[in-house]
Amino acid sequence: MATPAGPGARHHVPALHVHFTDTDALPFPTRSIARGDALYCAGEPLRSLYTVQSGCFKSVAAYPSANDDAVPHAQVTAFHLIDETLGLDGICTGHHESDAIALEDSVVRIMPVGILEPLCREYAPMQHALLAIMSAEIVRAARLALMLGTMPALVRVAAFLLDLSMRFDASGARPDTFDDVILPMTRADIGSYLGLELETVSRMLSKLQREGAISLHGRQLRIVDRTRLERIG
Amino acid sequence: MATPAGPGARHHVPALHVHFTDTDALPFPTRSIARGDALYCAGEPLRSLYTVQSGCFKSVAAYPSANDDAVPHAQVTAFHLIDETLGLDGICTGHHESDAIALEDSVVRIMPVGILEPLCREYAPMQHALLAIMSAEIVRAARLALMLGTMPALVRVAAFLLDLSMRFDASGARPDTFDDVILPMTRADIGSYLGLELETVSRMLSKLQREGAISLHGRQLRIVDRTRLERIG
DNA sequence: CGTCAGGTTGACCGCTCTCAATGCGGGTGG
DNA sequence: CCACCCGCATTGAGAGCGGTCAACCTGACG
């Protein structure tokens, strides 16, 4: 690897979901979404990008089975925590490519696309930030693909927990300490995201707990031995 | 799926690797790369984006194993055909996240990043095109992840062949008919991209041939029964 | 003609999926 | 307050897909 870095080097790009710090001053409107409701659905015309102010979302991409299965494969393609941006996948077609579902009662800041492009033409830092966010999203998706293509289940789960805890910590929104996280999604969501069945996720979590890397009660997760977890993931 | 579409609907976003049509008039310089050489390597500072004028590339992402394996997992994350753009993953960090290796003797058009952002601020269509390309790359990577997470080997290989043939056709560069393609990459490259071992790729190709969907001799591929292939992939 | 990279095919085994049973917690209504 | 239910989670047993190892084949090239 050409980028030298210390332990935990894999995560030297922690802010994969970058946020629009420069727009904090701008009076964008907000919108509240109840747990389980959709912020937008696949196929809808793209009206805005959204930044999570509170709560949490998952992006679900549906896959039209060629031979009209009644079960058109679907997969969670991303989780979006506080300060992270949703809707980027819709820019290319002008339509959303996935559903965005709230995992908790949530609030988002609305950035209409019609305003966004002219804004970026005026403010170079804003343009740069948008490009950086999109590029980071490309990198994030590519790493996910890499993980799904090459890593065994235990490694995927461990890496997922590390990534999630870092992002929760970055958001600074939780009273949780660095090592305490409440998982906002179900085992099925995690499994879908990682390309595993929910039973496999559960088994790997149990295994990590037996090995002393984590402790968990339901969705309450504590990272007991981060070093051990990093060695695995 | 909310977007209605005819057969082959999955590929209703054929131009996943969009190209800069609006810049054709601009006198960007070009560079030639010999087969097997690197256009850039991971970790290098991002100087330019590149559009393929002739030839073909693969992007290879290296993954630093936590416990310094001598074998730091690596995976092909993309193939880049004519008119498709390389280097987008480096915008977020200012450094390339992957190696770009030429699969044939190739020529690229060079677009310095220092010029790109000011240019996009002046020309709205160009800005829009760049955002569209990056968004499309996000969608492409997410779909790859989806496929690696949910599809069995035969489906992955079939979908890959369909995707590749469409992109070759879109480039219009080959004398090949729609159904004739010369695969520029090895079985190992395909396997790495699809999260499979090269033996599995070979087996799936043989199976598709036995079933009459394709015929292949080495890297010369002919799609005999596209409908059948689409039913699988 | 030998060598070597790339490709094909076979046999075996392990990881993960599948199916199924059980456990757990938080609601709601009797 | 308890019974019941329902979504979610855990755990086990068995099967299958794909990884692994190995042998062999093919074609290009010196």
Side-chain angles (χ1 to χ4, degrees), chain A residues 124-139:
Chain A
M126 174 120 184
Q127 182 195 37
H128 196 76
L130 178 59
L131 291 179
I133 290 178
M134 298 192 68
S135 176
E137 192 66 18
I138 293 173
V139 174

PDB file of all heavy atoms in Angstrom, chain A residues 124-139:
ATOM      1  N   ALA A 124     -16.568  28.099  -4.818  1.00  0.00           N
ATOM      2  CA  ALA A 124     -15.615  27.038  -5.119  1.00  0.00           C
ATOM      3  C   ALA A 124     -15.490  26.035  -3.975  1.00  0.00           C
ATOM      4  O   ALA A 124     -15.435  24.831  -4.218  1.00  0.00           O
ATOM      5  CB  ALA A 124     -14.255  27.639  -5.460  1.00  0.00           C
ATOM      6  N   PRO A 125     -15.456  26.469  -2.709  1.00  0.00           N
ATOM      7  CA  PRO A 125     -15.329  25.490  -1.623  1.00  0.00           C
ATOM      8  C   PRO A 125     -16.510  24.532  -1.579  1.00  0.00           C
ATOM      9  O   PRO A 125     -16.364  23.349  -1.293  1.00  0.00           O
ATOM     10  CB  PRO A 125     -15.293  26.368  -0.360  1.00  0.00           C
ATOM     11  CG  PRO A 125     -14.865  27.713  -0.826  1.00  0.00           C
ATOM     12  CD  PRO A 125     -15.425  27.859  -2.205  1.00  0.00           C
ATOM     13  N   MET A 126     -17.685  25.063  -1.876  1.00  0.00           N
ATOM     14  CA  MET A 126     -18.872  24.211  -1.876  1.00  0.00           C
ATOM     15  C   MET A 126     -18.791  23.203  -3.023  1.00  0.00           C
ATOM     16  O   MET A 126     -19.104  22.029  -2.838  1.00  0.00           O
ATOM     17  CB  MET A 126     -20.104  25.093  -2.048  1.00  0.00           C
ATOM     18  CG  MET A 126     -21.373  24.299  -2.215  1.00  0.00           C
ATOM     19  SD  MET A 126     -22.543  24.682  -0.911  1.00  0.00           S
ATOM     20  CE  MET A 126     -23.846  23.532  -1.324  1.00  0.00           C
ATOM     21  N   GLN A 127     -18.374  23.642  -4.177  1.00  0.00           N
ATOM     22  CA  GLN A 127     -18.196  22.722  -5.282  1.00  0.00           C
ATOM     23  C   GLN A 127     -17.210  21.625  -4.908  1.00  0.00           C
ATOM     24  O   GLN A 127     -17.453  20.440  -5.133  1.00  0.00           O
ATOM     25  CB  GLN A 127     -17.664  23.480  -6.512  1.00  0.00           C
ATOM     26  CG  GLN A 127     -17.483  22.591  -7.735  1.00  0.00           C
ATOM     27  CD  GLN A 127     -16.625  23.248  -8.800  1.00  0.00           C
ATOM     28  OE1 GLN A 127     -15.659  23.951  -8.497  1.00  0.00           O
ATOM     29  NE2 GLN A 127     -16.986  23.049 -10.041  1.00  0.00           N
ATOM     30  N   HIS A 128     -16.108  22.057  -4.300  1.00  0.00           N
ATOM     31  CA  HIS A 128     -15.088  21.095  -3.904  1.00  0.00           C
ATOM     32  C   HIS A 128     -15.650  20.089  -2.901  1.00  0.00           C
ATOM     33  O   HIS A 128     -15.397  18.895  -2.994  1.00  0.00           O
ATOM     34  CB  HIS A 128     -13.895  21.829  -3.300  1.00  0.00           C
ATOM     35  CG  HIS A 128     -12.672  20.992  -3.213  1.00  0.00           C
ATOM     36  ND1 HIS A 128     -11.895  20.704  -4.314  1.00  0.00           N
ATOM     37  CD2 HIS A 128     -12.101  20.347  -2.166  1.00  0.00           C
ATOM     38  CE1 HIS A 128     -10.897  19.930  -3.952  1.00  0.00           C
ATOM     39  NE2 HIS A 128     -10.989  19.693  -2.649  1.00  0.00           N
ATOM     40  N   ALA A 129     -16.438  20.594  -1.959  1.00  0.00           N
ATOM     41  CA  ALA A 129     -17.003  19.704  -0.945  1.00  0.00           C
ATOM     42  C   ALA A 129     -17.939  18.684  -1.579  1.00  0.00           C
ATOM     43  O   ALA A 129     -17.921  17.497  -1.238  1.00  0.00           O
ATOM     44  CB  ALA A 129     -17.748  20.528   0.107  1.00  0.00           C
ATOM     45  N   LEU A 130     -18.760  19.137  -2.517  1.00  0.00           N
ATOM     46  CA  LEU A 130     -19.696  18.217  -3.165  1.00  0.00           C
ATOM     47  C   LEU A 130     -18.947  17.135  -3.929  1.00  0.00           C
ATOM     48  O   LEU A 130     -19.260  15.938  -3.825  1.00  0.00           O
ATOM     49  CB  LEU A 130     -20.618  18.987  -4.115  1.00  0.00           C
ATOM     50  CG  LEU A 130     -21.608  18.115  -4.887  1.00  0.00           C
ATOM     51  CD1 LEU A 130     -22.508  17.351  -3.938  1.00  0.00           C
ATOM     52  CD2 LEU A 130     -22.448  18.949  -5.851  1.00  0.00           C
ATOM     53  N   LEU A 131     -17.929  17.552  -4.685  1.00  0.00           N
ATOM     54  CA  LEU A 131     -17.147  16.568  -5.423  1.00  0.00           C
ATOM     55  C   LEU A 131     -16.475  15.596  -4.454  1.00  0.00           C
ATOM     56  O   LEU A 131     -16.409  14.393  -4.712  1.00  0.00           O
ATOM     57  CB  LEU A 131     -16.091  17.274  -6.283  1.00  0.00           C
ATOM     58  CG  LEU A 131     -16.649  18.078  -7.464  1.00  0.00           C
ATOM     59  CD1 LEU A 131     -15.519  18.765  -8.227  1.00  0.00           C
ATOM     60  CD2 LEU A 131     -17.434  17.178  -8.407  1.00  0.00           C
ATOM     61  N   ALA A 132     -15.997  16.123  -3.336  1.00  0.00           N
ATOM     62  CA  ALA A 132     -15.327  15.261  -2.363  1.00  0.00           C
ATOM     63  C   ALA A 132     -16.305  14.239  -1.793  1.00  0.00           C
ATOM     64  O   ALA A 132     -15.981  13.066  -1.633  1.00  0.00           O
ATOM     65  CB  ALA A 132     -14.725  16.108  -1.244  1.00  0.00           C
ATOM     66  N   ILE A 133     -17.517  14.700  -1.483  1.00  0.00           N
ATOM     67  CA  ILE A 133     -18.521  13.785  -0.947  1.00  0.00           C
ATOM     68  C   ILE A 133     -18.828  12.669  -1.930  1.00  0.00           C
ATOM     69  O   ILE A 133     -18.876  11.494  -1.580  1.00  0.00           O
ATOM     70  CB  ILE A 133     -19.817  14.533  -0.611  1.00  0.00           C
ATOM     71  CG1 ILE A 133     -19.615  15.443   0.602  1.00  0.00           C
ATOM     72  CG2 ILE A 133     -20.952  13.557  -0.347  1.00  0.00           C
ATOM     73  CD1 ILE A 133     -20.851  16.238   0.934  1.00  0.00           C
ATOM     74  N   MET A 134     -19.014  13.065  -3.186  1.00  0.00           N
ATOM     75  CA  MET A 134     -19.376  12.058  -4.191  1.00  0.00           C
ATOM     76  C   MET A 134     -18.232  11.097  -4.417  1.00  0.00           C
ATOM     77  O   MET A 134     -18.437   9.880  -4.529  1.00  0.00           O
ATOM     78  CB  MET A 134     -19.778  12.752  -5.482  1.00  0.00           C
ATOM     79  CG  MET A 134     -20.997  13.626  -5.311  1.00  0.00           C
ATOM     80  SD  MET A 134     -21.686  14.188  -6.869  1.00  0.00           S
ATOM     81  CE  MET A 134     -22.305  12.654  -7.528  1.00  0.00           C
ATOM     82  N   SER A 135     -17.024  11.620  -4.477  1.00  0.00           N
ATOM     83  CA  SER A 135     -15.870  10.755  -4.652  1.00  0.00           C
ATOM     84  C   SER A 135     -15.736   9.793  -3.481  1.00  0.00           C
ATOM     85  O   SER A 135     -15.448   8.608  -3.656  1.00  0.00           O
ATOM     86  CB  SER A 135     -14.608  11.604  -4.800  1.00  0.00           C
ATOM     87  OG  SER A 135     -13.474  10.773  -4.881  1.00  0.00           O
ATOM     88  N   ALA A 136     -15.965  10.307  -2.276  1.00  0.00           N
ATOM     89  CA  ALA A 136     -15.873   9.458  -1.094  1.00  0.00           C
ATOM     90  C   ALA A 136     -16.915   8.345  -1.155  1.00  0.00           C
ATOM     91  O   ALA A 136     -16.666   7.211  -0.736  1.00  0.00           O
ATOM     92  CB  ALA A 136     -16.063  10.294   0.172  1.00  0.00           C
ATOM     93  N   GLU A 137     -18.074   8.675  -1.693  1.00  0.00           N
ATOM     94  CA  GLU A 137     -19.124   7.674  -1.825  1.00  0.00           C
ATOM     95  C   GLU A 137     -18.714   6.585  -2.812  1.00  0.00           C
ATOM     96  O   GLU A 137     -18.999   5.401  -2.607  1.00  0.00           O
ATOM     97  CB  GLU A 137     -20.416   8.362  -2.292  1.00  0.00           C
ATOM     98  CG  GLU A 137     -21.647   7.509  -2.208  1.00  0.00           C
ATOM     99  CD  GLU A 137     -22.029   7.156  -0.786  1.00  0.00           C
ATOM    100  OE1 GLU A 137     -21.563   7.818   0.163  1.00  0.00           O
ATOM    101  OE2 GLU A 137     -22.785   6.173  -0.632  1.00  0.00           O
ATOM    102  N   ILE A 138     -18.018   6.976  -3.865  1.00  0.00           N
ATOM    103  CA  ILE A 138     -17.501   5.994  -4.818  1.00  0.00           C
ATOM    104  C   ILE A 138     -16.516   5.068  -4.124  1.00  0.00           C
ATOM    105  O   ILE A 138     -16.579   3.844  -4.260  1.00  0.00           O
ATOM    106  CB  ILE A 138     -16.818   6.699  -6.012  1.00  0.00           C
ATOM    107  CG1 ILE A 138     -17.857   7.467  -6.832  1.00  0.00           C
ATOM    108  CG2 ILE A 138     -16.087   5.688  -6.890  1.00  0.00           C
ATOM    109  CD1 ILE A 138     -17.244   8.322  -7.939  1.00  0.00           C
ATOM    110  N   VAL A 139     -15.611   5.655  -3.359  1.00  0.00           N
ATOM    111  CA  VAL A 139     -14.615   4.852  -2.650  1.00  0.00           C
ATOM    112  C   VAL A 139     -15.289   3.910  -1.663  1.00  0.00           C
ATOM    113  O   VAL A 139     -14.957   2.731  -1.563  1.00  0.00           O
ATOM    114  CB  VAL A 139     -13.616   5.762  -1.906  1.00  0.00           C
ATOM    115  CG1 VAL A 139     -12.678   4.942  -1.041  1.00  0.00           C
ATOM    116  CG2 VAL A 139     -12.825   6.590  -2.905  1.00  0.00           C
TER     117      VAL A 139
END
